[in-house]
Amino acid sequence: MSDSTISRRRLLRKAAAVGGAALVVPAGTLSGQQRSGPPGPAARTFRAWVSRGTGAGRTTLQELTLRPIGGRQVVVRTEATNLCYSNTTTVLGLPGMFAGPLTRMAIIDGHGGVGVVEAVGPEVRRVQVGDRVCVSGTPQCGNCYQCLRGRADMCQFLGRQGLNDLVPIADMRDGTPVYASSHIGGLAELMVTFEEWVVPVFTKATAVELGMVCSCVAVAGLGTATSQTLASIAPGSTAAIVGCGPLGLSAVQGARIAGASKIIAIDPIRARRDLALKVGATDVLDPNVEGDRLVAKVREMTSTPNNRLWSGGRDSGGLLGGSGADFVIEGVGADRAKPKLEAGPDPTGVGPMRQAYEMCAPGGHVITTSLPNGTISFPAVFFAIGGRTHHAGQAGGANPMRDIPRFVAMLDSGQYDAKALATTVVPMERMLEAYEEVVYRTTVTAILAPA
Ligand SMILES: [Zn+2]
Ligand SMILES: [Zn+2]
């Protein structure tokens, strides 16, 4: 037994004697996070969209009083935040929304956003007051099992968003405590989050463009195509992007930036296919026109120019032939409401996901990102020895601290076209009408810009 071991034991014993047990963090809380006390005398007020109860009308604009912060909390003055499709049911109170105990709490919805740090708790090291930051859709603590093994997209803090994990960040006029969904609460003039969720970004980009590239969907799309966590697209390879919402259109751009030689964008909505061509797709396909031939069509399109097997060629025959896209990025998902523009062939999103898998070349990579509704099935032998590698992750595998600054550099250098994708920009008061555009897919990305 070494001297250092002995001394450490002595120290621990001493710590326990003076109340070391107080260091133990109660189960269910984010370790080290401090629950806030009552508001102080000069408390800051701000406006936020607060959701409570069920049904349409559950989300209303409220003036809130900020609670004092502590620990690793960070207050960010929101410059811009995207209205994520995955939040539509909860924000608009659509049928089928999750109706658990969280609906009884007053919660500010909203995924990632960008803004300026207004205050930090005493334990915060990552950012300073005045910094411009991206509040990431996924956290990165840097210390948990997943972060340490290179899967920051699966950081275990991501799972700490339940009933017992959320902390009140503000109060309504009637004293009701208000919580930030996912520790972000983007639909507000202030976001109160934790250090794990913020990434400093050093750029002079406009609020809307920065909000676009730092949105949960753009980070996921650029992540699928270029993050080294999953399967970054190799220069000269072929890519198919299934689904051209803001995530898919960011993946199209990521594929272009990564140097793919062929980028096939697939979406039922004509305006989205046109936009895909504008931001980097080399070809577009309409799944309603192609129907059951969609997979065969992608195989045909990726089998040229050489099909001589002795000469490095690929053929388009059979599921174990050589053709198919080298990289397939899937971003379709289930419809939360019937689209007012062209609806796709399968509202559950499962069919397009299966097609995405099938249109991948043997030896290729399939990256799935969407939220489909149902169960997927494949012939087991095809799944077992078909040679496709499936990658699944949060945010397209993006590692926030490593990748988000890179994505911002893509914006600043002109590689990423944020303007083309930010098709609706609204002030605070018009958040709900912008969300209607999102749920009916009449816009690509809606950005809320409170300032
Ligand atoms: Zn999102
Ligand atoms: Zn972590």
Side-chain angles (χ1 to χ4, degrees):
M1 191 180 286
S2 73
D3 284 346
S4 65
T5 314
I6 293 168
S7 62
R8 183 178 295 174
R9 279 191 178 169
R10 276 187 191 146
L11 280 172
L12 284 173
R13 227 178 281 139
K14 200 172 168 189
V18 298
L23 293 170
V24 176
V25 176
T29 64
L30 285 167
S31 53
Q33 284 178 9
Q34 201 166 304
R35 287 183 184 261
S36 305
R44 167 95 153 82
T45 59
F46 65 104
R47 290 182 304 162
W49 286 93
V50 177
S51 303
R52 189 164 46 157
T54 54
R58 72 184 297 265
T59 303
T60 54
L61 189 58
Q62 302 283 340
E63 184 167 286
L64 308 179
T65 304
L66 181 68
R67 288 196 175 195
I69 59 161
R72 301 194 311 285
Q73 285 181 301
V74 179
V75 181
V76 177
R77 179 170 50 74
T78 311
E79 286 185 272
T81 187
N82 72 300
L83 306 185
C84 182
Y85 188 80
S86 70
N87 281 168
T88 48
T89 44
T90 46
V91 172
L92 298 177
L94 298 177
M97 72 167 262
F98 175 73
L102 281 173
T103 57
R104 290 196 287 275
M105 295 160 71
I107 294 181
I108 306 169
D109 242 310
H111 284 173
V114 295
V116 177
V117 174
E118 204 171 278
V120 295
E123 295 168 19
V124 171
R125 291 180 302 177
R126 195 179 286 185
V127 293
Q128 302 173 2
V129 171
D131 279 353
R132 232 176 162 192
V133 294
C134 166
V135 181
S136 170
T138 53
Q140 178 182 23
C141 73
N143 297 305
C144 75
Y145 178 76
Q146 297 292 1
C147 281
L148 291 173
R149 68 208 297 257
R151 287 303 300 262
D153 64 308
M154 304 303 297
C155 172
Q156 287 169 271
F157 276 67
L158 188 65
R160 301 291 184 272
Q161 303 180 8
L163 212 54
N164 298 322
D165 302 307
L166 296 182
V167 290
I169 59 153
D171 294 282
M172 285 165 60
R173 281 190 177 148
D174 65 3
T176 305
V178 178
Y179 301 80
S181 171
S182 310
H183 303 294
I184 299 172
L187 305 181
E189 290 170 333
L190 290 182
M191 292 180 273
V192 182
T193 183
F194 288 94
E195 182 170 26
E196 293 75 23
W197 271 263
V198 293
V199 177
V201 287
F202 299 90
T203 172
K204 291 186 168 56
T206 65
V208 170
E209 290 186 84
L210 188 63
M212 183 68 232
V213 77
C214 289
S215 66
C216 57
V217 279
V219 167
L222 288 169
T224 56
T226 73
S227 172
Q228 56 195 270
T229 308
L230 301 181
S232 51
I233 291 178
S237 57
T238 56
I241 316 296
V242 187
C244 293
L247 193 158
L249 289 167
S250 294
V252 165
Q253 300 204 48
R256 166 175 52 75
I257 295 164
S261 60
K262 191 182 272 289
I263 302 168
I264 305 167
I266 301 163
D267 198 278
I269 299 175
R270 173 190 287 274
R272 295 186 175 197
R273 292 197 302 275
D274 291 346
L275 198 45
L277 287 170
K278 186 180 170 200
V279 298
T282 56
D283 302 87
V284 288
L285 291 174
D286 179 349
N288 287 327
V289 169
E290 304 303 331
D292 292 343
R293 288 236 344 119
L294 182 67
V295 171
K297 181 83 177 177
V298 171
R299 292 185 161 277
E300 273 165 38
M301 293 168 75
T302 50
S303 62
T304 53
N306 164 24
N307 63 1
R308 298 183 327 214
L309 302 189
W310 288 106
S311 310
R314 355 163 128 201
D315 63 15
S316 58
L319 287 174
L320 294 181
S323 69
D326 299 316
F327 294 86
V328 181
I329 294 166
E330 180 279 335
V332 179
D335 285 342
R336 305 294 169 107
K338 192 170 163 30
K340 287 190 174 166
L341 296 184
E342 302 94 319
D346 178 3
T348 70
V350 173
M353 184 175 275
R354 189 172 50 240
Q355 288 176 313
Y357 192 85
E358 289 169 352
M359 70 178 65
C360 182
H365 299 268
V366 186
I367 303 118
T368 52
T369 69
S370 77
L371 302 173
N373 188 10
T375 303
I376 195 162
S377 62
F378 298 106
V381 170
F382 171 53
F383 180 69
I385 58 171
R388 283 89 176 155
T389 302
H390 172 229
H391 304 264
Q394 291 284 337
N399 171 314
M401 286 291 282
R402 181 191 66 199
D403 290 332
I404 288 175
R406 214 161 48 79
F407 300 158
V408 172
M410 290 174 185
L411 172 71
D412 286 340
S413 66
Q415 291 175 297
Y416 180 80
D417 184 348
K419 245 183 220 149
L421 267 51
T423 45
T424 298
V425 179
V426 292
M428 276 300 274
E429 300 77 16
R430 292 176 49 207
M431 191 281 291
L432 286 177
E433 61 184 274
Y435 240 122
E436 297 266 337
E437 288 191 57
V438 171
V439 74
Y440 295 120
R441 302 203 197 263
T442 51
T443 193
V444 175
T445 321
I447 302 276
L448 176 68

